[in-house]
Amino acid sequence: YKTFDGDLKWDHNDVTYRILNYSPDLDVSTIDDAFARAFKVWSDVTPLTFRRLYDGTADIMISFGKKDHGDFYPFDGKDGLLAHAYPPGEGVQGDAHFDDDEYWTLGKGPAIKTYFGNADGALCNFPFRFEGKSYSSCTTEGREDGLPWCATTADYDKDKKYGFCPSELLYTFDGNADGEACVFPFEFEGKTYTSCTTDGRDDGYRWCATTSSFDKDKKYGFCPNRDTAVIGGNSEGEPCQFPFIFLEKSYTSCTSEGRSDGKLWCATTSNYDKDQKWGFCPDKGYSLFLVAAHEFGHALGLDHSNIQDALMYPMYKYIADFSLHQDDIEGIQYLYGPKKGPKPTPPKPSTTTSSPVSTGKPNKKTPQTTPSTASTTTPSVYTPVDPSVDPCTVDKFDAITEIQGELHFFKDGYYWTSSNRGNKEHKGPFMVSERWPGLPAKLDTAFEDPLTKQMYFFAGTQFWEFTGKDVRGPRSIEKLGLPGSLKKVEGSLQRGKGKVLLFSGENYWRLNLKTQKIDKGYPYHIDNKFGGVPVDAHDVFLYNGHYFFCREIYYWRMTSKYQVDRVGYIYELLNCP
Amino acid sequence: WSKPIDSKDVSFPEDILKNMTDIQMADSYLERFGYKMILHKSGRQGAVSNSKALKRLQTQLGLEETGELDQPTIDAMKKPRCGVPDVRN
């Protein structure tokens, strides 16, 4: 490994980052997730933590750009240079830039995350069958509104699982329209547009108005790329037009003719010779996660390594199950030292992007055969613990929560309590059914309403409300406004003013306890506010004014200012010897 | 029988990657990533020969150090990569 001259490094361990804009190739949550995982590569082996900022100046400012993008190091179109980053320091130092003439994926070709539908945001499954015909890209077949969709299993006719594909008719990103879909036609400088345009911009990004007149309302957003869109060239975002004429010959598929570099391209009008409109055909693309992990290595102070298998080797190579090379570990630990506290768990594979999105359907028709939206929950099988079992040997509690100043640890129908006041020894086990009759043995989360002192328990898709021993429920979590596809609520944080955050998977929702409804605008990704904690925490709770995120036997403690200030063992909270 | 297509290289509008010869491409690569410049003890920068620059590149990339623009070196130069220079002066 190599460091920059003078061993440039950050003089603080709580490094901040900010994502300034997004690429049209991937949806926002996939990009957020790729960057978060790329930072985790480094925080797993050092004492560094990474906190995301949403405004102001962060240590590491991340942006996508093309060719001349504001520094003295222009990108070069598709392939060749993929990204660059600056070593730690003020101003542009520490920043990371990604070439948006690349096709950003997770490294294995189009990763088309679906929206709405009934597949919980699953990826498209290509090829898929619909009414006996095979499709290897999103299609508008079966719909009258032009919304592209795909099946998320191999056979729509059999499984009826589907979602909508990214398109400007579904949403926009960045801009100032809060992700509203394009409105066509729209007016811009007196001219009428019926599709996304690059007019009025010199960076090549496609945009649209989200009302019928940009001139009047000034509302706009950038258009996501459809999976059939070309990359780069002079028609970014447009679909290939087949057949097309090139040098007076007709082509019905992408070709490398006319190019010495062998890259496949297509025309985006029916006649290249006349219109000269073209772009590269989508390929496997580059893994944003892997490239970002490399660039963040620079942003932390590592220069290029000459070990071919190291992450900091300058050439791109796709690796399915990534793990940091010893050379990279030694390099970063030379600068910042090793991680203290519990041993890190291996990073997740780079292909995980299964965080669910809100389900439902746009106010448009579904594919011809309306899919069923019913979801089933398989009851989990569990083995009850022996009440004589020491809670200090439990490797994963069902739920942990503070009730009247005491921490309660739930496991398989029993609970233990501990307190940091008076006699600190933990007490229990107690029977859950004696104090809160009617609850199932397996709970997912629980919390006390600080205003009314009522207790709420969640298990699977149901929840219960207790006032003393009086119970209301079980009721379906769907009644609260949570998606019907949600299998369980895994954590909860009381927020004051009768609000509680409910956590499931990588997302969280805010519940208004008074109206018993989820507030508008949710869910948010955990990283949105709680950077630096595991996104796969199976328990989240509030204790002594701190937020606790648990994974297995470890907890991450976060201050009310969203800074992780301690990582420790659950057993410490139980006051185990 | 299909008639073979007569290949003809075309300059595509907006395409930055020009039809460069391998030598031109190597020259540009060595310069861009810092291999052609060297810092003397006096603090002055000077250019090194292509052969020396190629050897530096081959060392850095773990290739056989021939000092010549051989095929493995050309292939390595055509691979997608990070834009941060390998050699800083």
Side-chain angles (χ1 to χ4, degrees):
Chain A
Y1 68 86
K2 213 164 79 178
T3 56
F4 293 105
D5 284 347
D7 288 347
L8 293 173
K9 57 177 274 194
W10 296 106
D11 58 8
H12 50 284
N13 281 354
D14 54 330
V15 178
T16 56
Y17 73 96
R18 185 177 158 197
I19 303 168
L20 295 175
N21 62 358
Y22 287 89
S23 167
D25 297 338
L26 289 166
D27 74 281
V28 167
S29 64
T30 307
I31 292 174
D32 286 347
D33 180 62
F35 287 144
R37 286 186 292 120
F39 280 119
K40 191 172 177 296
V41 164
W42 299 109
S43 62
D44 272 350
V45 295
T46 61
L48 294 171
T49 60
F50 297 99
R51 186 161 52 92
R52 184 173 170 188
L53 300 185
Y54 290 85
D55 49 31
T57 307
D59 296 322
I60 299 173
M61 303 285 257
I62 303 166
S63 59
F64 291 90
K66 299 175 183 185
K67 294 161 192 168
D68 284 309
H69 55 279
D71 58 15
F72 295 106
Y73 302 95
F75 289 129
D76 56 354
K78 193 174 177 330
D79 303 321
L81 304 179
L82 307 182
H84 55 223
Y86 296 83
E90 294 287 311
V92 74
Q93 300 297 112
D95 294 356
H97 300 163
F98 296 83
D99 183 358
D100 222 350
D101 274 326
E102 308 307 340
Y103 181 34
W104 293 111
T105 64
L106 297 173
K108 294 196 295 186
I112 314 292
K113 187 167 176 163
T114 59
Y115 295 77
F116 305 105
N118 62 358
D120 290 345
L123 300 181
C124 291
N125 188 315
F126 296 128
F128 67 89
R129 290 191 77 76
F130 171 54
E131 297 195 331
K133 201 173 148 193
S134 181
Y135 292 83
S136 37
S137 60
C138 299
T139 180
T140 56
E141 284 296 313
R143 299 189 61 84
E144 291 160 6
D145 53 18
L147 279 177
W149 68 277
C150 69
T152 57
T153 66
D155 193 341
Y156 175 81
D157 299 332
K158 185 169 133 262
D159 305 316
K160 302 275 189 274
K161 284 283 184 192
Y162 79 103
F164 292 92
C165 303
S167 84
E168 68 284 0
L169 303 176
L170 205 59
Y171 67 91
T172 57
F173 67 97
D174 291 343
N176 63 359
D178 290 332
E180 289 288 311
C182 294
V183 169
F184 296 123
F186 69 87
E187 280 205 343
F188 169 54
E189 294 187 336
K191 197 174 150 191
T192 300
Y193 291 82
T194 54
S195 61
C196 298
T197 178
T198 56
D199 285 0
R201 302 190 62 84
D202 55 15
D203 57 11
Y205 280 100
R206 297 162 66 243
W207 68 279
C208 70
T210 57
T211 68
S212 58
S213 173
F214 177 83
D215 298 336
K216 190 166 126 268
D217 303 313
K218 304 278 188 255
K219 286 285 187 191
Y220 77 102
F222 292 97
C223 302
N225 280 349
R226 294 187 178 207
D227 64 321
T228 49
V230 299
I231 314 295
N234 58 5
S235 306
E236 167 90 22
E238 302 289 330
C240 290
Q241 178 73 52
F242 297 121
F244 66 88
I245 304 289
F246 172 56
L247 298 180
E248 298 176 357
K249 285 192 174 69
S250 182
Y251 291 82
T252 53
S253 62
C254 296
T255 178
S256 61
E257 274 307 309
R259 298 192 64 86
S260 56
D261 56 14
K263 291 180 194 167
L264 290 170
W265 69 278
C266 69
T268 55
T269 68
S270 59
N271 192 328
Y272 176 84
D273 298 341
K274 185 167 133 263
D275 305 314
Q276 307 252 302
K277 299 294 275 180
W278 70 284
F280 294 107
C281 297
D283 49 24
K284 284 192 170 178
Y286 296 109
S287 162
L288 183 61
F289 160 72
L290 288 175
V291 176
H294 174 100
E295 297 309 329
F296 296 162
H298 288 313
L300 297 175
L302 287 180
D303 204 343
H304 283 149
S305 164
N306 58 3
I307 306 277
Q308 294 208 12
D309 288 333
L311 176 64
M312 293 315 293
Y313 190 70
M315 269 65 172
Y316 173 87
K317 184 170 73 177
Y318 176 71
I319 303 155
D321 294 315
F322 171 79
S323 66
L324 203 52
H325 192 279
Q326 192 56 31
D327 180 64
D328 303 306
I329 296 173
E330 283 169 18
I332 203 71
Q333 291 187 344
Y334 166 78
L335 291 173
Y336 297 99
K339 189 179 182 70
K340 294 174 185 120
K343 279 188 181 175
T345 51
K348 287 196 288 186
S350 60
T351 49
T352 52
T353 51
S354 58
S355 57
V357 295
S358 60
T359 56
K361 287 168 279 215
N363 291 329
K364 314 230 173 161
K365 286 182 191 169
T366 52
Q368 279 173 348
T369 319
T370 309
S372 159
T373 52
S375 67
T376 53
T377 311
T378 314
S380 48
V381 178
Y382 60 91
T383 314
V385 289
D386 180 338
S388 64
V389 166
D390 183 354
C392 298
T393 63
V394 173
D395 57 2
K396 190 177 172 184
F397 286 97
D398 296 339
I400 305 173
T401 192
E402 183 182 356
I403 304 171
Q404 289 164 27
E406 280 192 326
L407 264 185
H408 286 56
F409 299 79
F410 294 87
K411 178 78 179 175
D412 295 339
Y414 298 95
Y415 70 94
W416 294 262
T417 64
S418 82
S419 166
N420 56 6
R421 295 179 305 225
N423 178 3
K424 289 187 174 178
E425 246 182 55
H426 59 258
K427 294 172 193 158
F430 306 104
M431 297 280 286
V432 172
S433 56
E434 276 181 21
R435 188 164 169 189
W436 297 287
L439 285 179
K442 196 87 174 165
L443 297 169
D444 292 323
T445 193
F447 65 87
E448 182 182 46
D449 180 351
L451 294 176
T452 63
K453 302 296 176 199
Q454 283 175 324
M455 281 298 306
Y456 289 80
F457 293 91
F458 288 75
T461 55
Q462 295 182 313
F463 76 103
W464 293 255
E465 201 179 333
F466 276 85
T467 310
K469 278 194 174 180
D470 294 335
V471 61
R472 189 176 166 215
R475 284 185 287 158
S476 163
I477 57 171
E478 214 175 337
K479 294 267 182 216
L480 301 172
L482 290 168
S485 56
L486 213 65
K487 299 271 190 298
K488 58 183 173 180
V489 177
E490 293 166 294
S492 47
L493 287 179
Q494 299 94 322
R495 301 285 279 173
K497 293 184 183 171
K499 305 266 185 174
V500 177
L501 300 184
L502 300 178
F503 292 77
S504 182
E506 297 181 0
N507 292 331
Y508 67 89
W509 291 257
R510 192 173 66 194
L511 172 67
N512 183 331
L513 285 171
K514 201 173 168 190
T515 60
Q516 302 245 317
K517 285 283 171 208
I518 296 293
D519 285 344
K520 277 188 181 163
Y522 286 85
Y524 280 111
H525 191 267
I526 284 182
D527 271 344
N528 181 275
K529 247 198 170 75
F530 306 93
V533 300
V535 291
D536 55 349
H538 55 75
D539 209 351
V540 187
F541 61 92
L542 179 72
Y543 180 50
N544 278 348
H546 284 87
Y547 310 133
F548 285 78
F549 292 78
C550 305
R551 189 167 67 190
E552 294 157 12
I553 56 168
Y554 306 116
Y555 70 79
W556 280 252
R557 189 175 77 179
M558 182 176 254
T559 67
S560 56
K561 290 185 176 169
Y562 307 107
Q563 290 196 313
V564 175
D565 66 349
R566 186 177 171 80
V567 180
Y569 292 97
I570 302 284
Y571 311 133
E572 294 167 11
L573 303 174
L574 259 168
N575 298 319
C576 290
Chain B
W1 301 105
S2 61
K3 190 181 158 195
I5 294 170
D6 295 329
S7 284
K8 185 179 171 190
D9 282 354
V10 171
S11 289
F12 287 83
E14 306 262 330
D15 193 357
I16 282 189
L17 296 170
K18 302 273 182 255
N19 292 327
M20 284 194 277
T21 64
D22 286 344
I23 294 171
Q24 287 169 321
M25 185 271 297
D27 239 20
S28 150
Y29 190 101
L30 294 171
E31 198 156 322
R32 181 195 282 267
F33 295 108
Y35 292 101
K36 286 206 79 168
M37 296 302 286
I38 193 161
L39 190 68
H40 295 294
K41 279 183 182 167
S42 62
R44 284 176 54 204
Q45 284 194 350
V48 296
S49 69
N50 266 8
S51 173
K52 265 192 180 170
L54 279 169
K55 269 195 178 168
R56 290 171 87 187
L57 169 99
Q58 287 158 344
T59 310
Q60 171 69 20
L61 301 188
L63 302 170
E64 194 189 345
E65 291 171 42
T66 61
E68 285 175 15
L69 189 59
D70 47 25
Q71 199 54 47
T73 310
I74 293 169
D75 291 345
M77 285 176 167
K78 286 185 175 171
K79 281 188 179 161
R81 59 161 292 157
C82 170
V84 172
D86 299 330
V87 183
R88 215 169 309 277
N89 298 297

